[in-house]
PDB file of all heavy atoms in Angstrom:
ATOM      1  N   GLN A  21      -7.387  -7.653  11.425  1.00  0.00           N
ATOM      2  CA  GLN A  21      -6.598  -8.851  11.150  1.00  0.00           C
ATOM      3  C   GLN A  21      -5.145  -8.589  11.534  1.00  0.00           C
ATOM      4  O   GLN A  21      -4.326  -8.178  10.704  1.00  0.00           O
ATOM      5  CB  GLN A  21      -6.708  -9.237   9.675  1.00  0.00           C
ATOM      6  CG  GLN A  21      -6.090 -10.570   9.372  1.00  0.00           C
ATOM      7  CD  GLN A  21      -6.339 -11.002   7.947  1.00  0.00           C
ATOM      8  OE1 GLN A  21      -7.182 -10.470   7.239  1.00  0.00           O
ATOM      9  NE2 GLN A  21      -5.592 -12.004   7.512  1.00  0.00           N
ATOM     10  N   LEU A  24      -1.962  -9.667   9.412  1.00  0.00           N
ATOM     11  CA  LEU A  24      -1.935  -9.265   8.007  1.00  0.00           C
ATOM     12  C   LEU A  24      -0.553  -8.742   7.621  1.00  0.00           C
ATOM     13  O   LEU A  24      -0.021  -7.844   8.264  1.00  0.00           O
ATOM     14  CB  LEU A  24      -2.980  -8.171   7.762  1.00  0.00           C
ATOM     15  CG  LEU A  24      -3.171  -7.684   6.336  1.00  0.00           C
ATOM     16  CD1 LEU A  24      -3.805  -8.794   5.500  1.00  0.00           C
ATOM     17  CD2 LEU A  24      -4.056  -6.450   6.325  1.00  0.00           C
ATOM     18  N   ALA A  59      10.488  -5.130 -10.950  1.00  0.00           N
ATOM     19  CA  ALA A  59       9.723  -6.335 -10.601  1.00  0.00           C
ATOM     20  C   ALA A  59      10.523  -7.199  -9.629  1.00  0.00           C
ATOM     21  O   ALA A  59       9.964  -7.759  -8.684  1.00  0.00           O
ATOM     22  CB  ALA A  59       9.370  -7.121 -11.860  1.00  0.00           C
ATOM     23  N   ALA A  67       8.914 -11.397  -0.654  1.00  0.00           N
ATOM     24  CA  ALA A  67       9.541 -12.537   0.015  1.00  0.00           C
ATOM     25  C   ALA A  67       9.892 -12.205   1.459  1.00  0.00           C
ATOM     26  O   ALA A  67       9.819 -13.070   2.332  1.00  0.00           O
ATOM     27  CB  ALA A  67      10.789 -12.974  -0.750  1.00  0.00           C
TER      28      ALA A  67
END
Side-chain angles (χ1 to χ4, degrees):
Q21 189 174 345
L24 184 69

